[in-house]
Amino acid sequence: MDVQQGSRRVLPFDVTHRLVLSIALPMTLGFMTTPLLGLVDTAVVGHMGQPDALAGLAIGAVLFDLLFSSFNFLRASTTGLTAQAYGRHDRHEQQAVFWRALISALTSGILIVLLSPLLLWLGLKLMGPQGGIADATRTYFSIRMLSGPAALANYALLGFVLGRGQGRIGLLLQTVINGVNIMLAILLGLYLGWGVAGVAWGTLIGEASGMLLGLFIVLRSFAGEERPARAELLSRVKLMQLFALNRDILIRTFVLIAAFTLMTRIGNSFGAVMLAANAVLMNFFLLSGYYLDGLANAAEQITGRSIGANYRPAFERGLKLTGLWSFGLALAAAIFFFTVGPALIRLLTTSEEVRLAAETYLPWAAITGLTGALAFLMDGVFIGATWSREMRNKMLLSFGGYLIALAILVPTLGNHGLWIAMNAFLLFRGIFLAMGLKKRADQTFRFAQ
């Protein structure tokens, strides 16, 4: 039932464990298909018996991921704005958000394709591959960059369906993209002998398949509804709001990338064995990140929807349930890694030196899910609420704390200090955002007290 409070309607809805898991679980499963794709691509090229091709694939994939991860704001901003319109029961604005996001994605993707020769040149200068490795990088990168418009459109599509709480559709799209990619990588790269080019074409066709399916599903849901007028889509106020939101999320993403890049760079100064050990241990954090990201997606949708509905009980209930699942699973993961971590390390590397080093620093990696749980959760809340300025500023503050921790701890504690600083960075992000949560919520729900 709609309730009128102050100058805004209140649109109550229930937040349950089932609602949280209906978003978090499918997205967690979707995220887990991504490393499987990487393993298949590596195996396909690895079976060619050409080390240069495998190295070129690795460099090309890193360059592509580095570039396109910076566009994650398309997914995040679309989720928050869609969830708020969904909470208001405003289907017209949901459409408008979708079309603005899709136009932004396609425009950015086309621009990237046009700039791809320059981007490839810069990437090769940055990474410095030579000979056959450089040739393989050029082949992979040049083909895969053609998927830019489809890849970015998929960010907008995923953000839109998540904003409406349609986790299963999100999982379907992720499965189609990665599933088609995997099958074609094997067919084109291995059986037809196209090698690196076959893997790249598989990726392009996978992204295009996901985009076409996503457009079919979304546009079909718009059937019979009035499409927003061009003036609405190009509204200066709405576009400036979207620009500011995307700008802040982009800055936050760059800082996050810088933090992990800095960890790798400092780890490299400790020698090849330590660098390899840290790379092995980072897999434990990435594993924790799958379910934490899924729960952050649930927090985004429930937060955005509750703000759109002007219904604070749903906001607080959503925060409680997503927090419960985040910390509960993080604790379970920490116990799991402490228990079977050594066995996992032996599975991931055959080098005895790397194994011994990784086991030494295992405790710090095992707790990254716990120290990062609040950060992932708060990111979800602030993205769903579109409180992007606060999220950006707290990320910058956290990064400053991280730099101080590195400066103090690394010279005295070495690699232990590096891992402590990373855990501190995760804690800073969560704590700093949580500290301002109540005040920001009071301002947002001031008409629903």
Side-chain angles (χ1 to χ4, degrees):
M1 180 188 301
D2 295 6
V3 180
Q4 191 76 26
Q5 288 189 10
S7 59
R8 290 180 56 192
R9 287 190 305 165
V10 177
L11 304 168
F13 65 96
D14 293 328
V15 177
T16 63
H17 289 284
R18 183 174 182 176
L19 175 61
V20 170
L21 295 179
S22 70
I23 302 169
L25 186 57
M27 292 316 302
T28 298
L29 294 174
F31 294 143
M32 291 177 69
T33 64
T34 301
L36 176 62
L37 170 62
L39 288 173
V40 171
D41 287 352
T42 300
V44 166
V45 177
H47 275 77
M48 295 170 56
Q50 299 176 9
D52 285 359
L54 188 57
L57 170 70
I59 292 173
V62 167
L63 292 175
F64 186 90
D65 291 344
L66 183 63
L67 175 63
F68 277 75
S69 64
S70 63
F71 282 88
N72 189 54
F73 62 79
L74 286 169
R75 202 281 307 159
S77 62
T78 304
T79 298
L81 293 172
T82 301
Q84 291 182 22
Y86 182 78
R88 293 193 301 271
H89 298 180
D90 187 347
R91 295 185 62 84
H92 196 70
E93 180 59 19
Q94 288 176 52
Q95 272 207 56
V97 169
F98 170 75
W99 287 114
R100 290 188 200 104
L102 185 63
I103 291 169
S104 298
L106 293 175
T107 302
S108 299
I110 292 170
L111 182 60
I112 285 175
V113 171
L114 295 176
L115 293 175
S116 59
L118 174 61
L119 295 171
L120 174 60
W121 179 81
L122 291 172
L124 293 174
K125 286 291 184 182
L126 175 67
M127 304 299 287
Q130 300 294 325
I133 298 176
D135 291 339
T137 301
R138 289 190 189 94
T139 298
Y140 179 83
F141 189 83
S142 298
I143 296 172
R144 191 170 177 185
M145 285 298 286
L146 297 175
S147 71
L152 296 186
N154 285 327
Y155 284 180
L157 287 161
L158 183 60
F160 181 74
V161 298
L162 284 178
R164 301 209 292 190
Q166 298 169 320
R168 291 183 181 180
I169 295 178
L171 172 60
L172 173 63
L173 296 181
Q174 291 288 95
T175 302
V176 167
I177 292 169
N178 292 331
V180 170
N181 193 337
I182 287 171
M183 289 188 293
L184 289 179
I186 295 172
L187 174 64
L188 300 177
L190 196 58
Y191 286 97
L192 297 184
W194 292 11
V196 171
V199 169
W201 282 112
T203 302
L204 189 156
I205 297 171
E207 293 284 3
S209 300
M211 180 189 71
L212 292 175
L213 176 61
L215 287 174
F216 173 77
I217 292 172
V218 170
L219 297 183
R220 188 179 180 185
S221 73
F222 293 160
E225 296 180 9
E226 182 182 352
R227 181 176 297 181
R230 181 182 301 179
E232 292 178 84
L233 297 180
L234 301 179
S235 164
R236 187 174 183 277
V237 173
K238 294 291 186 180
L239 289 175
M240 290 303 295
Q241 178 192 21
L242 182 61
F243 173 79
L245 183 57
N246 287 339
R247 176 202 62 206
D248 293 337
I249 297 175
L250 177 61
I251 292 171
R252 171 250 183 203
T253 301
F254 279 154
V255 174
L256 194 58
I257 293 172
F260 287 101
T261 301
L262 189 56
M263 182 180 181
T264 302
R265 187 174 182 84
I266 294 174
N268 186 46
S269 69
F270 296 141
V273 171
M274 203 67 73
L275 181 63
N278 286 347
V280 168
L281 292 174
M282 278 303 293
N283 285 290
F284 297 168
F285 174 64
L286 294 176
L287 286 171
S288 299
Y290 294 140
Y291 65 78
L292 291 176
D293 258 338
L295 287 161
N297 288 155
E300 288 175 29
Q301 201 278 336
I302 294 169
T303 297
R305 183 180 175 186
S306 65
I307 288 175
N310 195 31
Y311 189 52
R312 187 163 187 167
F315 173 85
E316 294 177 346
R317 175 74 172 165
L319 184 61
K320 178 181 177 181
L321 294 188
T322 52
L324 180 66
W325 279 102
S326 293
F327 282 101
L329 291 174
L331 178 60
I335 295 171
F336 174 77
F337 290 138
F338 273 113
T339 304
V340 304
L344 291 175
I345 291 170
R346 287 193 293 273
L347 184 66
L348 292 170
T349 178
T350 58
S351 169
E352 196 60 35
E353 284 183 299
V354 175
R355 285 176 175 176
L356 290 173
E359 288 181 18
T360 300
Y361 303 100
L362 172 61
W364 300 120
I367 64 171
T368 50
L370 275 173
T371 57
L374 185 60
F376 278 81
L377 178 61
M378 288 296 103
D379 276 352
V381 170
F382 276 70
I383 287 173
T386 61
W387 298 333
S388 61
R389 180 183 296 181
E390 292 87 347
M391 185 173 65
R392 176 201 67 193
N393 292 343
K394 296 301 173 60
M395 174 62 85
L396 291 170
L397 182 61
S398 301
F399 187 69
Y402 175 55
L403 294 178
I404 293 171
L406 288 173
I408 294 173
L409 298 174
V410 171
T412 55
L413 298 176
N415 202 51
H416 283 293
L418 181 59
W419 276 100
I420 294 171
M422 175 52 65
N423 278 284
F425 174 60
L426 296 172
L427 284 171
F428 291 155
R429 287 173 54 203
I431 292 171
F432 290 160
L433 286 171
M435 286 171 60
L437 181 61
K438 185 179 184 304
K439 179 180 178 181
R440 198 65 179 85
D442 287 343
Q443 294 171 345
T444 300
F445 291 102
R446 62 186 177 274
F447 297 119
Q449 303 301 318

